[in-house]
Amino acid sequence: MTPETAPPAVRTAPAGRRRRPEFLVTGLCFAVIVFDGYDLIVYGATVPTLLQYDRWTLTPAMAGAIGSYALVGMLIGALIAGAVTDSVGRRRVLLTGVGWFSAAMIGCALAPDATWFGIFRLLGGIGLGGVMPTAVALTAEYADPRRRSLNNAMMFSGYAVGGILAAVLAMTLMPTLGFRFMYALGATPLLLVPLLARYVPESLAFLTAKGRHEEAARTAARLGIDLPAPDAGPDGGSAAERDGQPKRAGLLQLAGREHLGPALLFAAVSFFGLLLVYGLNTWLPQIMRAAGYPLSGSLLFLLVMNLGAVVGSLLISPLGDRFGMKPVTMAVFLAAAVSITLLAFATAAPLMYALVAVAGFGTIGAQIMVLGYVAQHFPVEVRATALGCTLGLGRLGAITGPLLGGFLLDAKVSTAWNFYAFAVPAAVATALVLLLPGRGLPERGVPAQARRLSATNH
């Protein structure tokens, strides 16, 4: 290794500056995920109006199919992001995704018919699919390991905040301004792109892995944080070079014997988690309308569900740092299964609102826990790829959720069976969490370099 390519020595950042990039990255990624959540959940908020829009003559089954188009796009986008983010960098994927899905929302607002509306939902989903895993990976990398799942929950709660925003604006603005205005608001993140370009740093792990050591050193100095400790031996070579093996790309490394089993299990849990998230966010207002609630009342249920997700996630996620991600994630899915089942029997409005709030935490909150679990389990060199694959393959469940709800409403089953159909996936997800690896508890009292080396060797 020549002096020009040798990584600079790992330095210690001044204590007073260490928290700045952590909160800066978490806050900016939170803002992105707010609009990510808005752009997805606004569809559920507008479905009752779209079904009554005479020019498009939509049926529940057709609306369910359109709801799944964005999620098909997210499947494509998440898989693309997972494949390229470790090659082109987290920052570039994030900026491209935000600009992409914002522009597609303008297309949705101007769509002349349901076909074009569905096409723009599909295109927007491609951008959305790349944003989420990248934001999770950046938040996890810049977080203090002791607060990693808390920071992840704070960032990812932006999804539910976006849902709250969609429900509130639908209740107040849609009756007078119409559903097209709701989609035009989804283009607001275009205003965020210059801020993201200026203030979101590139992953230091990505820069050092690409041999861009001087850029990594400048970035670390600007942010006042430590450089990642290189996995180097006495001769300065990497572990892979010392073993005479070339470094594998992220996807190939994830497909190895060490990571493949956990990656598939996480994807299966994510399948059921995302089925619940997108199935309920798409169809809960219409299910409640079918149960006799007016439009404003049905949208209030959507608001309560996402509010429950925000509050519950922020209260429970710190327990993952303390007790480990596995038992906490399992408890959250179990809460979803129980609360959704009880909705089939509840009749009093206050009780139903309380159960919907728990269901919001148990579905959206559970997915937050799953992604935090992935971020803690996999080492940094494959973390973004693992998150992309977990979300990408899990998108099959997200696609299934709106289709399932549309099929049930088209079949005119009872309200109780609408809830049973979503309680079963929550129960299956609870059982699958039992099979996940138990390593989700960050080591305490272990130096950062030792933690990195330990994660690499596990």
Side-chain angles (χ1 to χ4, degrees):
M1 183 174 292
T2 65
E4 289 77 8
T5 60
V10 178
R11 64 180 187 83
T12 301
R17 300 178 63 194
R18 296 173 73 89
R19 300 176 70 182
R20 178 175 173 271
E22 177 181 0
F23 295 134
L24 177 68
V25 173
T26 301
L28 289 172
C29 289
F30 169 84
V32 169
I33 298 300
V34 166
F35 289 103
D36 183 300
Y38 175 89
D39 287 8
L40 286 167
I41 299 175
V42 71
Y43 182 72
T46 58
V47 158
T49 301
L50 291 174
L51 289 172
Q52 295 178 339
Y53 189 52
D54 293 337
R55 294 185 182 179
W56 290 3
T57 61
L58 291 175
T59 65
M62 293 167 63
I66 290 176
S68 71
Y69 291 167
L71 304 167
V72 171
M74 291 185 75
L75 168 61
I76 298 169
L79 291 175
I80 291 174
V84 306
T85 192
D86 290 320
S87 299
V88 303
R90 280 70 157 151
R91 185 173 177 273
R92 186 176 298 177
V93 171
L94 184 70
L95 292 173
T96 301
V98 170
W100 185 291
F101 77 69
S102 300
M105 288 296 282
I106 297 175
C108 290
L110 300 176
D113 53 42
T115 299
W116 276 106
F117 181 80
I119 290 172
F120 283 116
R121 291 295 289 171
L122 173 67
L123 293 174
I126 295 175
L128 290 167
V131 162
M132 195 175 295
T134 309
V136 173
L138 283 170
T139 300
E141 177 175 350
Y142 281 99
D144 187 311
R146 295 169 298 179
R147 291 188 296 269
R148 185 167 288 155
S149 67
L150 174 61
N151 284 12
N152 180 71
M154 291 173 61
M155 181 277 299
F156 206 94
S157 68
Y159 175 87
V161 172
I164 293 170
L165 189 63
V168 169
L169 292 178
M171 293 168 62
T172 57
L173 300 180
M174 191 166 61
T176 55
L177 298 177
F179 72 88
R180 293 184 185 276
F181 180 76
M182 296 293 295
Y183 288 95
L185 286 177
T188 304
L190 286 173
L191 302 176
L192 275 179
V193 172
L195 290 175
L196 296 172
R198 180 182 177 110
Y199 293 112
V200 172
E202 182 55 271
S203 161
L204 294 178
F206 168 78
L207 293 175
T208 55
K210 290 297 181 181
R212 293 157 61 178
H213 301 298
E214 290 186 4
E215 184 179 351
R218 288 196 303 270
T219 302
R222 175 170 57 86
L223 297 175
I225 60 175
D226 297 341
L227 280 173
D231 182 13
D235 60 353
S238 69
E241 291 168 343
R242 291 196 311 273
D243 296 337
Q245 298 173 355
K247 180 175 176 61
R248 293 177 294 175
L251 277 175
L252 291 178
Q253 191 170 356
L254 191 67
R257 185 172 57 183
E258 178 184 6
H259 298 308
L260 181 59
L264 291 176
L265 277 173
F266 278 116
V269 174
S270 183
F271 173 93
F272 291 105
L274 291 175
L275 184 154
L276 294 167
V277 170
Y278 293 105
L280 288 174
N281 270 305
T282 299
W283 288 113
L284 182 62
Q286 188 61 26
I287 290 173
M288 302 316 295
R289 288 212 72 187
Y293 285 85
L295 178 60
S296 59
S298 65
L299 290 173
L300 186 57
F301 278 102
L302 184 64
L303 170 64
V304 169
M305 184 173 76
N306 284 279
L307 186 61
V310 172
V311 175
S313 298
L314 294 179
L315 290 177
I316 300 298
S317 289
L319 298 180
D321 288 322
R322 183 172 182 181
F323 300 109
M325 299 299 289
K326 182 172 182 174
V328 177
T329 304
M330 186 169 61
V332 173
F333 271 120
L334 182 60
V338 172
S339 61
I340 296 172
T341 301
L342 292 177
L343 278 169
F345 302 97
T347 54
L351 177 59
M352 294 192 72
Y353 284 123
L355 290 172
V356 165
V358 175
F361 162 60
T363 54
I364 300 173
Q367 189 62 21
I368 292 174
M369 298 299 294
V370 169
L371 294 179
Y373 199 164
V374 173
Q376 285 196 12
H377 175 76
F378 290 97
V380 67
E381 62 267 21
V382 295
R383 182 177 295 146
T385 303
L387 286 165
C389 289
T390 297
L391 283 169
L393 297 176
R395 293 295 169 206
L396 295 174
I399 294 166
T400 303
L403 292 173
L404 174 63
F407 170 79
L408 293 170
L409 286 169
D410 236 11
K412 294 180 171 57
V413 301
S414 67
T415 301
W417 277 104
N418 281 313
F419 290 122
Y420 294 151
F422 288 108
V424 170
V428 174
T430 305
L432 282 174
V433 174
L434 284 171
L435 303 177
L436 288 173
R439 292 170 306 200
L441 186 64
E443 301 95 334
R444 297 186 181 276
V446 181
Q449 181 173 348
R451 279 200 304 269
R452 293 188 187 98
L453 292 175
S454 176
T456 302
N457 294 329
H458 275 300

